Amino acid sequence: MGAVESSVGIRIRRFRLEKNMTQDQLAAKIGVDRTSLSSYEHSKRMPDIFVLCRMADIFEVSLDDLVGRKF
């Protein structure tokens, strides 16, 4: 995976920890299993746009902030 995908995983983990959530808790809230969430955080898989939107809502950040988009 490239730099963007890698930074998305890092951001997901950072925002999850800032909310004091376990992987199990976040996975349940976004409708995936813990293994999938772990794959996102370790940049082995990229979540689809719908999962990213749910995460952004839970973390109370913009989608741009979650994926590191700057313009």
Side-chain angles (χ1 to χ4, degrees), residues 8-67:
V8 171
I10 291 167
R11 282 177 163 56
I12 291 169
R13 184 174 195 279
R14 186 183 86 223
F15 286 126
R16 176 179 61 78
L17 293 174
E18 285 176 2
K19 290 288 186 180
N20 295 313
M21 297 177 77
T22 66
Q23 284 186 337
D24 286 323
Q25 290 169 327
L26 179 57
K29 285 183 178 272
I30 62 174
V32 301
D33 59 27
R34 191 205 53 79
T35 305
S36 293
L37 180 59
S38 179
S39 294
Y40 302 153
E41 289 188 1
H42 290 93
S43 301
K44 293 179 181 173
R45 291 181 53 202
M46 185 67 150
D48 69 33
I49 189 67
F50 302 106
V51 171
L52 286 170
C53 288
R54 285 193 297 271
M55 280 192 249
D57 289 347
I58 291 164
F59 297 148
E60 299 176 311
V61 300
S62 70
L63 190 54
D64 287 335
D65 286 341
L66 182 59
V67 300

